[in-house]
Amino acid sequence: MITLALDAMGGDSGPEAVVKGAYIANHHYKIPCKFLLFGDESKIIPILKKYPQILKKSKIIHTDCFIASDMKPSLALRKGRDSSLGLAIFSVKNGESHAVVSSGNTGAYMALSKIIFGMIEGFDRPAIPAIIPNMYGHSIVLDLGANIESSLKHLKQFAIMGRAMSTTLLNKKNPTVALLNIGTEFIKGPPILQDSYTEFNNSFEKNFLGFVENIMKTHADVIVTDGFCGNLVLKSVEGTAEFINKTIKNEFSKNLFSKIAALISLPLFKKLKNKLDPRLYNGAPFLGLKQTAVKSHGSSDALGFANAINVAYQMRNFPSNLNSNII
Amino acid sequence: MITLALDAMGGDSGPEAVVKGAYIANHHYKIPCKFLLFGDESKIIPILKKYPQILKKSKIIHTDCFIASDMKPSLALRKGRDSSLGLAIFSVKNGESHAVVSSGNTGAYMALSKIIFGMIEGFDRPAIPAIIPNMYGHSIVLDLGANIESSLKHLKQFAIMGRAMSTTLLNKKNPTVALLNIGTEFIKGPPILQDSYTEFNNSFEKNFLGFVENIMKTHADVIVTDGFCGNLVLKSVEGTAEFINKTIKNEFSKNLFSKIAALISLPLFKKLKNKLDPRLYNGAPFLGLKQTAVKSHGSSDALGFANAINVAYQMRNFPSNLNSNII
């Protein structure tokens, strides 16, 4: 039986989203696993009592120490080892669980998991990927981390990690990879992208699709960019989707006619919403670590957390897969 | 009477979109201007005959020389002066017209207009802005040009140009400005953005709103970024809007029920489409030039071209406004 370590104190919704998320993961997604719940037992127990099925499969590891959402990574490294997050990470390190999930402070989580797990040889720093739906399916886009500058070596590491994740999580056999740029022509972009083009061509051969400029219109399984551009692009995609969603809602609530139209169209919009619901894409593994740590969005609810649990379950053996993928 | 120089041979739709665009600009937008049409008269005359109102207000300047959409700027500089685009630019330089509009080759257009018009002192290179609708109205985002790296000095020039454009085109009295970054906190981003934060704070004082990470959720009238990130963000916004549009269309055409729902919702979607129609935002002036040149999208139709004509008309005195805005 697989055991997952859950930081019950991270994120805006705390233990409520975590315990209910575990319930959804177990009972709706049918993920066969047990849980270690790290945090304040006086807060966790009342919620667990509402989900007796999860109560049976869980063990609480009590701690009064939590990492605040604005704690600096350097401070978390000094003071955070006995926190709910730190203990959850150590439980994986010690073999008591197979992977850890937290909605807590990203910087602290990344720093602690990097120091406790260590990096796989050949990878310099953890990368954060996102799965983004597009015209033809989905792409894994990375890096979305706080790594602001990326050298050719880092971009290549991102490509290797992204391809391994595509195989492990999305069952792609020979994932294709592309580089994000402001045009698709070979001559476009700054020198680092032109050098990367040559390097990717040599390393990934026919699986390298060249430059891509529109992440919504590509067949590439993996899209590589640096952490700064990746962040900007992800926020633009999310912002635009939210803007259109609000504009549609406004139009549909203007008068009686539009409200009737909304009522009739509702089932169709539900389908659209289900397809684009960011909660369904929640759960970003820190790639390159020797063991599996999954970051759930700070504002994620139970459904979002359940998806992060699913990612942790599917990705529990990812580090050994990645190890065998190093070029 | 204002005279606008139109390159009739640029863009995918050629003279058809240009002449019909002039008609829409004159008769729907009520822009009081005459036109100089540059290009192959054997192609322009038959179309002009369909629009007798425009025929009366136009003069054709015939040339057999055109700039191909893939011609390198360096070649355009050597060979393009007698082209429809080159002659149109010269007509502004010589005082025969007040501004030029073309849907042709961006690189060639920018190079020719820069060399023929020259830059206003204090500005190093032309910037390309876009007007992007958002939750609270519109923002001018720049630079979207091919300028890949931007120094602090350039970012500040973009801010000054963007603010002047906001006043000239959108009638904003004290336009606010923000810097695009991966977070809104002061400490976020690479050194150049942190230095720019300090510089913008000193120069624009209370009109500087700091960092913005979501261009869809900002009150800033002007959003400053370098040409690489600006391009990536614009393409992500356009790509996401197109993706959602297609997904909605697919859902609404699946079966009889959804088709009925579509029929009923149609007037609402038309409103949404009108609000987000990229043709309505067509027409990007090259900012920083001593005279006014407006770039229309290569694939723009007559409605798009009419909007570019409108921008050229509104922005015809922009260079002198900009001159007085230099800090």
Side-chain angles (χ1 to χ4, degrees):
Chain A
M1 179 69 103
I2 302 302
T3 303
L4 298 179
L6 309 182
D7 168 16
M9 309 312 283
D12 308 340
S13 317
E16 183 83 43
V18 172
V19 174
K20 195 175 169 194
Y23 173 79
I24 295 171
N26 252 193
H27 288 264
H28 295 275
Y29 294 168
K30 309 286 182 202
I31 298 171
C33 62
K34 295 187 298 181
F35 301 104
L36 299 181
L37 298 168
F38 295 83
D40 181 346
E41 62 183 2
S42 74
K43 289 191 175 141
I44 299 171
I45 290 172
I47 302 165
L48 264 183
K49 283 184 178 162
K50 291 196 269 178
Y51 299 94
Q53 306 96 322
I54 299 301
L55 181 63
K56 276 191 294 184
K57 289 189 172 176
S58 299
K59 194 180 145 193
I60 299 174
I61 293 92
H62 174 79
T63 174
D64 287 324
C65 173
F66 320 119
I67 288 178
S69 63
D70 57 354
M71 187 186 277
K72 289 243 166 116
S74 51
L75 189 63
L77 283 178
R78 289 200 307 274
K79 304 241 177 185
R81 287 163 189 252
D82 296 324
S83 67
S84 58
L85 177 57
L87 294 176
I89 297 170
F90 271 116
S91 81
V92 182
K93 176 75 178 175
N94 302 335
E96 293 150 17
S97 62
H98 295 82
V100 51
V101 186
S102 173
S103 304
N105 181 328
T106 308
Y109 189 9
M110 194 189 264
L112 278 168
S113 56
K114 186 179 171 192
I115 212 90
I116 296 170
F117 291 159
M119 297 297 298
I120 294 175
E121 216 186 299
F123 297 94
D124 294 342
R125 52 194 193 191
I128 302 182
I131 299 175
I132 297 186
N134 66 31
M135 302 263 186
Y136 311 115
H138 300 89
S139 296
I140 292 172
V141 180
L142 78 171
D143 176 44
L144 305 172
N147 301 320
I148 278 168
E149 273 187 274
S150 302
S151 64
L152 193 164
K153 181 179 75 169
H154 295 130
L155 294 178
K156 191 174 163 192
Q157 290 174 7
F158 297 157
I160 295 168
M161 295 192 265
R163 295 186 74 225
M165 176 175 167
S166 181
T167 302
T168 304
L169 191 66
L170 306 173
N171 299 317
K172 300 271 178 182
K173 274 207 174 144
N174 268 310
T176 51
V177 59
L179 281 159
L180 187 65
N181 198 352
I182 55 170
T184 55
E185 303 91 338
F186 171 73
I187 53 149
K188 284 275 170 101
I192 182 173
L193 283 179
Q194 287 173 16
D195 294 347
S196 300
Y197 188 103
T198 310
E199 175 64 28
F200 276 42
N201 228 353
N202 292 334
S203 298
F204 304 112
E205 298 174 349
K206 68 177 182 0
N207 291 316
F208 177 52
L209 304 187
F211 291 137
V212 58
E213 58 174 351
N214 182 346
I215 64 164
M216 290 292 151
K217 230 178 190 171
T218 175
H219 289 282
D221 296 310
V222 177
I223 299 172
V224 170
T225 182
D226 66 67
F228 188 79
C229 293
N231 247 286
L232 285 185
V233 163
L234 186 75
K235 275 164 187 158
S236 302
V237 169
E238 287 174 347
T240 307
E242 193 190 348
F243 169 56
I244 294 177
N245 187 24
K246 284 219 168 145
T247 311
I248 291 175
K249 267 191 185 159
N250 285 347
E251 286 301 332
F252 273 107
S253 62
K254 272 193 175 156
N255 55 40
L256 186 62
F257 170 77
S258 63
K259 281 177 187 160
I260 293 170
L263 208 65
I264 291 171
S265 316
L266 208 63
L268 304 175
F269 280 106
K270 271 215 169 135
K271 271 193 203 165
L272 179 70
K273 215 186 155 192
N274 286 345
K275 198 169 172 180
L276 300 179
D277 190 342
R279 295 177 302 175
L280 303 184
Y281 305 101
N282 187 41
F286 294 145
L287 304 177
L289 299 174
K290 281 185 180 156
Q291 290 177 287
T292 298
V294 171
K295 171 72 175 81
S296 166
H297 200 285
S299 67
S300 74
D301 63 3
L303 180 60
F305 203 84
N307 279 289
I309 289 175
N310 183 32
V311 171
Y313 180 80
Q314 306 292 340
M315 294 284 285
R316 66 193 186 278
N317 297 321
F318 174 79
S320 53
N321 298 353
L322 179 58
N323 225 333
S324 62
N325 261 283
I326 299 174
I327 297 184
Chain B
M1 178 69 100
I2 302 302
T3 303
L4 298 180
L6 310 183
D7 168 16
M9 309 312 283
D12 307 341
S13 317
E16 182 82 43
V18 172
V19 174
K20 196 176 168 191
Y23 174 79
I24 295 171
N26 252 192
H27 289 263
H28 294 276
Y29 294 166
K30 310 284 181 205
I31 298 171
C33 62
K34 295 187 297 180
F35 303 104
L36 298 182
L37 299 169
F38 294 81
D40 181 346
E41 61 182 1
S42 74
K43 288 190 176 141
I44 299 171
I45 290 172
I47 303 165
L48 264 182
K49 284 185 176 160
K50 291 195 270 179
Y51 300 94
Q53 306 97 323
I54 298 302
L55 181 63
K56 277 191 292 186
K57 289 190 173 173
S58 300
K59 192 178 144 195
I60 299 174
I61 292 91
H62 174 79
T63 174
D64 287 324
C65 172
F66 320 119
I67 288 178
S69 63
D70 57 354
M71 187 187 276
K72 290 242 165 115
S74 50
L75 188 63
L77 283 179
R78 288 202 306 276
K79 304 242 177 184
R81 288 164 188 251
D82 296 323
S83 67
S84 57
L85 177 57
L87 294 175
I89 298 171
F90 271 116
S91 80
V92 182
K93 175 74 178 174
N94 302 336
E96 294 149 15
S97 62
H98 296 82
V100 49
V101 186
S102 172
S103 304
N105 181 328
T106 308
Y109 189 10
M110 193 188 265
L112 278 168
S113 56
K114 187 181 171 192
I115 212 91
I116 296 170
F117 292 159
M119 298 297 298
I120 293 175
E121 216 186 302
F123 298 94
D124 295 340
R125 52 193 192 192
I128 301 182
I131 299 175
I132 296 186
N134 66 31
M135 301 263 187
Y136 311 116
H138 300 90
S139 296
I140 292 172
V141 180
L142 78 171
D143 177 41
L144 305 173
N147 301 319
I148 278 168
E149 274 188 274
S150 302
S151 65
L152 193 164
K153 183 180 73 168
H154 294 130
L155 294 178
K156 191 176 163 193
Q157 290 174 6
F158 297 157
I160 295 167
M161 295 192 264
R163 295 186 73 226
M165 176 175 167
S166 181
T167 302
T168 304
L169 191 66
L170 305 172
N171 299 317
K172 299 270 178 184
K173 276 211 174 140
N174 268 311
T176 51
V177 60
L179 281 159
L180 186 66
N181 197 353
I182 56 170
T184 56
E185 303 91 336
F186 173 71
I187 53 150
K188 283 276 168 101
I192 180 172
L193 283 179
Q194 288 173 15
D195 294 347
S196 301
Y197 188 102
T198 309
E199 175 64 29
F200 276 42
N201 228 353
N202 293 336
S203 299
F204 304 111
E205 297 174 350
K206 67 176 183 4
N207 290 317
F208 176 53
L209 304 186
F211 292 136
V212 58
E213 56 175 352
N214 182 346
I215 63 164
M216 291 291 149
K217 230 177 189 170
T218 175
H219 289 281
D221 296 310
V222 178
I223 300 172
V224 170
T225 183
D226 66 67
F228 188 80
C229 293
N231 246 286
L232 284 184
V233 163
L234 185 75
K235 276 167 187 159
S236 302
V237 169
E238 289 175 344
T240 307
E242 192 190 348
F243 169 56
I244 294 176
N245 187 23
K246 285 219 167 146
T247 311
I248 291 175
K249 267 192 185 160
N250 284 348
E251 286 302 332
F252 273 106
S253 62
K254 272 194 174 153
N255 54 42
L256 186 62
F257 170 76
S258 62
K259 280 176 189 161
I260 292 170
L263 207 63
I264 291 171
S265 315
L266 209 63
L268 305 174
F269 279 106
K270 272 216 169 134
K271 271 193 201 165
L272 178 70
K273 217 187 153 190
N274 286 344
K275 198 168 172 179
L276 300 179
D277 191 340
R279 295 177 301 175
L280 303 184
Y281 305 101
N282 187 42
F286 294 145
L287 303 177
L289 298 175
K290 280 186 181 155
Q291 291 178 286
T292 299
V294 171
K295 172 72 176 85
S296 165
H297 200 285
S299 66
S300 74
D301 63 3
L303 179 60
F305 202 83
N307 279 289
I309 288 175
N310 183 33
V311 171
Y313 180 80
Q314 307 290 343
M315 293 284 284
R316 66 192 186 279
N317 296 323
F318 174 78
S320 53
N321 298 354
L322 179 58
N323 226 335
S324 62
N325 261 283
I326 299 174
I327 297 183

